[in-house]
Amino acid sequence: MESEKKGVLIVISGPSGSGKTSVSREVCRRLGERAYFSVSTTTRPKRKGERDRIDYFFVSKEEFRRGIENGEFLEWAEVHGNYYGTGKIQIEKQLEEGKIIFLDIDVQGHRNLKKLFPREVTSVFVTTPSREVLIERLRQRGESEEVIAQRVRNAEEELKAVGEYEFLIINDQFEESVRRLLEIVDISLLKVERLEIPHFLKEWKGEV
Ligand code: 5GP
């Protein structure tokens, strides 16, 4: 239906180490052509194994500031001393094409997108079952005790915003979390908010 053509924005937030990126990338992969994973721009240094333009668009602080001035970002935020932003053109294009768009962004990004796209956003918070499990996962990643302590403090801060989200995934088993996120995507496509109601009613009556 024409009235349902516009895409959806699946916003995924949660502490670093919660597994939100792996879960959402896997769901995106399984949905294939219908889905699009938003690649953010960041000023933080590239981590081992990360690829420019695939994981992030890695830019300098100066380039980022120029992007802000030129209105290139739909939203941007400072996270742990670095800038992160969502490109405007790519998202608007994917929305027009009716895509299921995944955005792995922080709580500030979620607040801003909800204001800009109240009808298109579906919000999901992903976390570990407990603080201990988060510490364990970060240790397995080989992070230093100092980094772990910082991440745990950040996680506690981010968790305060959990009530602002529609859905919560407690990421205990990867496969189970993937299944849950796929269900949330299905539900997001059924939301009445997505409809252009006058247009839908005209279509229903066969007037268009
Ligand atoms: P990391 O440096 O670990 O990849 O990401 C740090 C945090 O920044 C994560 O919570 C991630 O979701 C968030 N983030 C990544 N891209 C964006 C973005 O474009 N906008 C906002 N607001 N947050 C982002």
Side-chain angles (χ1 to χ4, degrees), residues 47-64:
R47 289 189 196 127
K48 211 170 148 238
E50 281 183 333
R51 290 154 303 170
D52 190 30
R53 311 180 75 85
I54 293 175
D55 296 294
Y56 279 107
F57 295 101
F58 293 96
V59 299
S60 66
K61 284 205 166 143
E62 203 190 321
E63 280 173 288
F64 198 97

Side-chain angles (χ1 to χ4, degrees), residues 4 8 49 66 85 95 101 122-123 142 148 151 172 193 196:
E4 286 182 359
V8 289
R66 220 177 303 131
L95 262 182
I101 304 162
T122 288
S123 57
I148 293 174
R151 294 273 162 90
D172 194 7
E193 288 107 301
E196 295 282 357

Side-chain angles (χ1 to χ4, degrees), residues 12-16 20 38 40-42 44 47 50 56 75-77 79-80 84-87 104-110 151 158:
I12 324 266
S13 304
S16 165
K20 65 181 181 238
S38 167
S40 296
T41 300
T42 186
R44 84 144 160 76
R47 289 189 196 127
E50 281 183 333
Y56 279 107
E75 64 79 33
W76 65 271
V79 187
H80 317 149
Y84 293 82
T86 306
D104 172 349
I105 58 176
D106 81 330
V107 298
Q108 310 170 70
H110 167 238
R151 294 273 162 90
E158 275 175 282

Side-chain angles (χ1 to χ4, degrees), residues 97-125:
E97 287 179 11
K99 291 275 168 73
I100 300 162
I101 304 162
F102 291 86
L103 301 110
D104 172 349
I105 58 176
D106 81 330
V107 298
Q108 310 170 70
H110 167 238
R111 283 180 196 134
N112 290 330
L113 281 193
K114 210 159 70 171
K115 276 188 213 131
L116 286 173
F117 299 102
R119 293 168 48 193
E120 289 82 4
V121 167
T122 288
S123 57
V124 187
F125 196 93

